[in-house]
Amino acid sequence: MKRRNFLSGLALGSGALALSPFQQLSAKDGLSRKVTASENNRSYQADVIIAGGGLGGCASALAALRNGLSVVMTEETDWIGGQITQQGVPPDEHPWIETHGAPESYRYFRTAVREYYRNNYPLTEEAASKEFLNPGDGSVSRLCHEPKVALAVLHAMLAPFESSGKLVLLLNHRVKSAGFQGNRVKSLTAKSLILGKEVLLTAPYFVDATELGDLLPMTKTAYVTGTESKHETGELHAPEKGNPENNQSFTVCFAMDYVKGEDWTIPKPADYDSWKNYVPDLTPPWPGKMLAMHYSNPQTLAPKALGFHPEGLPTGDLLNLWLYRRILNKNNFTPGLYSGDISLVNWPQNDYIPGNIVDVSEAEFKKHFDGGKQLSLSFLYWLQTEVTRPDGGKGWKGLRLRNDVMGTEDGLAKYPYVRESRRIKALFTVLEEHVGKEQRASVSGLSGDELKAATFDDSVGIGYYHIDLHPSSRGDNYIDFPSLPFQIPLGALIPQNMENLLPANKNIGTTHITNGCYRLHPVEWSIGEAVGMLVPFALSKNVTPKTVREDKTLLREFQAMVRSQGVETEWV
């Protein structure tokens, strides 16, 4: 969809036109336009409460706000943006992202990131002239950039709504409990992690955009975790026996640069000796110690060597990990401004495998988060002191931990990079047979150009990524295989047993297997945006989300609304 068509089509039903993707559309009668707060700010009432300020939460908030709703959004860290900011993960995207395959608003966000660099950084003339500027030139993404730039762009997008009172953003707040009756949530109670005071949040609708699906157990919303068995789902790559505690590994990311001739070696981490000798217990086996320049090839599981050179020099036929997630290439900026590149470390060597953080106590979560921090610091120390250099020496002392890039004192990400969450028991669950290339071919009997993912009559978005499961907490090695460009079915966004709670992160109706392609940045944004439009639509029609899906007339009207606001619902 061309931008001018998107701008002219932003409307809810027959509402007023908007001048930009983020200006408010005319609200329907009966919908509040501003958040109502008690005099001492101990309670807030809005049209929708969003728990979690990640990409799904932000997209949900923007969609709800531009359609006239008032929003309160909580975030337990001091950074919104989730995996792209607080977790330090440059966007994992499909190859067509610059032109299609994601909402127009997501591509607007990406363009704004590039413009932020053009407006605020001394780019070289060559870099500034690139339509598709990639500040880091990392190989993992067409837009490798600093987390704080994404943070600034997201705040700018939300700023007019926040200053006008239509949005209240509660940073450093974690939802601690929920009030509910039957199949409806009545309220949430959030606690400030700074002051300790509690805030009561009430609304007709609630969105769980937390990284781990925190609201699901609080509200008795039916959910699953971990692996389903082949008997349960019929999935080709599912195990014979399911295990709710078998979740993908998480990663505590960090950023570093390289200052040649200087010594930035960190103190030896407390658990270094343990991690130095750690060999993951996986099936099929991992090829030796974790802190080494090798890993299991995700597709074949055969041992695969890796390269590393922090000056960006070639490492033969081996992937130079330094370039993989490089978020700032010094050559894109005025000569002499940066002493070296900045690279983001989310590599096989700091995937935390031995513990699970999904559906566990706060104490268990903290134990493994701390363990993940020790692993990442140990990996950095190993790179500084023990990895073999091309000249035969040991370690790169000039590797410098960049705490400023991550916005933390310890230099590590504010929150673990979460690949897997609690998942709702949804009206519809996406299975491997719907999106996995091999099983889809078997089920459909199609091949070649005719082979496509399942068509969902209730599609409210699209996305694509291969099915990518990292080593798991209960001993599975990589599960990585091709998928097909897919749709996002509305039924996967609606819980079976709750009327007014909707998911907007990795907690939708997927399986352990299909989560592997629905968990990436643009898909999370797409999920959040669909949910952010579903709420005002359901309120304006005075029906439940389930009714929107079941009533074909309403469903077609909602899909028309979604498409009119820049969301593609099918691949063409």
Side-chain angles (χ1 to χ4, degrees), residues 242-262:
N243 184 343
E245 295 182 352
N246 190 16
N247 297 283
Q248 289 185 72
S249 55
F250 67 87
T251 306
V252 181
C253 302
F254 62 93
M256 60 182 179
D257 64 2
Y258 178 67
V259 187
K260 191 172 184 177
E262 297 186 10

Side-chain angles (χ1 to χ4, degrees), residues 13 51 102 105 326 536 546:
S105 60
R326 185 174 60 179
K546 182 179 180 181

Side-chain angles (χ1 to χ4, degrees), residues 73 95 285 292 367:
M73 184 164 70
K367 168 188 169 183

Side-chain angles (χ1 to χ4, degrees), residues 5 212 234 273 316 336 368 379 418 424 448 457 493 495 504 506 519 545:
N5 294 335
L212 292 166
D273 291 335
H368 292 303
F379 181 42
V418 175
I424 63 167
D457 182 64
L493 312 184
K506 303 172 188 72
R519 65 178 177 81

